[in-house]
Amino acid sequence: YLIRLDDASDHMHTENWAKIEQLLDESDIKPLVGVIPLNRDPKLLEFPEDPGFWEKARDWQTKGWRIALHGYDHVYCSNSGGMNPGHDRSEFAGLTLEMQRRKIREGMGLLREKGLEADVFFAPSHTFDENTLEALRLESDIRIVSDTVANDTYCLHGFTFIPQQSGRVRELPFKLTTICLHPNYMKEQEFDEIRAFFRDHREEFLDPNTIGVTGRKLGLLDHIYRAAYDLKRRVSGLLR
């Protein structure tokens, strides 16, 4: 298992982030954490500003949390799902290459100014397209993306993809399961579930810093899992 934390920025639910950090530290689990360089998301801006955020993020990096570039400003500006259409909204998918290059370039620059080195990317709402990958190739050294459904890490278009299959802690049959958590919106019950899951599965958690570039291609099992996920998503959409 791998823990991924979304939406870290200078506007966030500091109490919830402190809780998840304590749980991770107690179990000696290192997460992949997505940092928004210039948060302009109206929903996230409802949280009070945390003046100590960037120092906190540098501390995370020092103790082994792997930093990811989580978009640029976290503002949705298209209705495209791109290569991973789990949602019909995106900060990246559907935009021109030049627009996406600017977001990646300026986002990476802002993180570096704050003393953070991101070597993984994941987009808000999991939506990105081929232009996003080309922008990453041209404007950064990032060659690892956290997203899509698969059984294990795989290579596509010259990038290593770390699959992301769950939004909560639970046992799943994948060789590598990424659990994507949003601490800003978590309830107390979820923290209790995480604590119990960490207790029962501590030895099964992977340090994200050990994940490197892979040459593995998608196989039959990966395509079966993808088809099942896509069918579930379509059925859920029809029932809404």
Side-chain angles (χ1 to χ4, degrees), residues 122-169:
F122 49 86
S125 286
H126 314 275
T127 47
F128 59 94
D129 60 14
E130 288 84 354
N131 277 343
T132 317
L133 300 181
E134 184 64 11
L136 287 168
R137 194 188 328 271
L138 294 171
E139 300 292 346
S140 78
D141 293 326
I142 291 176
R143 297 296 181 268
I144 298 177
V145 175
S146 166
D147 252 320
T148 72
V149 173
N151 186 47
D152 198 1
T153 58
Y154 66 94
C155 178
L156 182 67
H157 301 313
F159 285 80
T160 292
F161 285 82
I162 306 173
Q164 194 278 296
Q165 310 98 327
S166 183
R168 60 185 176 87
V169 289

Side-chain angles (χ1 to χ4, degrees), residues 12-57:
M12 63 184 191
H13 194 310
T14 54
E15 291 181 6
N16 277 6
W17 278 86
K19 287 180 182 179
I20 194 66
E21 182 172 3
Q22 181 178 357
L23 289 175
L24 289 162
D25 288 348
E26 288 173 353
S27 297
D28 194 25
I29 293 173
K30 311 297 183 187
L32 177 63
V33 56
V35 178
I36 306 169
L38 187 65
N39 183 8
R40 290 174 175 159
D41 185 329
K43 189 175 180 181
L44 292 172
L45 291 176
E46 293 177 2
F47 293 104
E49 183 176 4
D50 178 4
F53 169 72
W54 294 107
E55 181 178 358
K56 187 181 303 179

Side-chain angles (χ1 to χ4, degrees), residues 56-71:
K56 187 181 303 179
R58 288 190 291 271
D59 288 343
W60 293 341
Q61 181 173 255
T62 298
K63 67 180 179 180
W65 291 23
R66 191 166 187 174
I67 305 296
L69 175 68
H70 186 38

